[in-house]
Amino acid sequence: MAETSMIIADEAVMLDLGRRIAADVRIGDVIALEGGLGAGKTTLARGILEALGLESEAPSPSFAIVQPYDVPEVRLPVAHVDLYRLDDAAEAEELALGDYLMDSLLIVEWPDRLGGALWSHSLRLHITIEPDGARRLTADVSDAWTDRWSHL
């Protein structure tokens, strides 16, 4: 697994990164978005969903926990998941998130709530807020993503 880092200047750049990631997503992919409250995880997810064809604004799934999107609303099925409200990994198991990998892209916010159960082929994106308000995005790029990530 390779690690890369970049500075994201503002919300527009975060949305654009999401759009660029969306160009190469496939059914069965997992994008894990880590970072504190307000770091930009949902913004990045919105960029991905917009590029996949979602015309309405994607709500944060923090209360629904899993927000599914299906064709024709998007070009491939997506499950946008926010695990913030879960207390432990056992609750995450009840969601059967692995079932989505058969026919969907899985975007997971707060993947640490899964315990050690994050899929090895995941693209892990950790976002931190810099002192100047910019974001630092650190990517742990699995082998499944190496070729796709290199041209972003």
Side-chain angles (χ1 to χ4, degrees), residues 4-5 14 27 30 42-43 48 60 70 85 88 96 116 123 128-129 132-133 140:
T4 62
S5 182
M14 188 70 79
I27 287 175
V30 178
T42 301
T43 300
I48 294 168
S60 172
D70 212 342
R85 296 181 331 129
D88 61 47
L123 173 63
T128 56
I129 303 172
D132 65 359
D140 288 328

Side-chain angles (χ1 to χ4, degrees), residues 54 56 65 76 83 86-87 146:
L54 186 66
S56 58
I65 301 178
L76 60 90
L83 301 176
L86 299 189
D87 292 323
T146 301

Side-chain angles (χ1 to χ4, degrees), residues 3 6 17 20 28 30 35 47 52-53 67 121:
E3 184 176 289
M6 65 180 76
L17 176 61
R20 293 192 331 255
V30 178
L52 292 175
Q67 178 64 52
H121 71 285

Side-chain angles (χ1 to χ4, degrees), residues 77-110:
V78 178
H80 182 191
V81 181
D82 186 329
L83 301 176
Y84 179 74
R85 296 181 331 129
L86 299 189
D87 292 323
D88 61 47
E91 289 181 273
E93 279 182 40
E94 293 175 20
L95 297 173
L97 297 177
D99 292 352
Y100 288 101
L101 298 181
M102 291 185 287
D103 62 4
S104 301
L105 161 67
L106 189 57
I107 301 172
V108 182
E109 296 187 36
W110 301 96

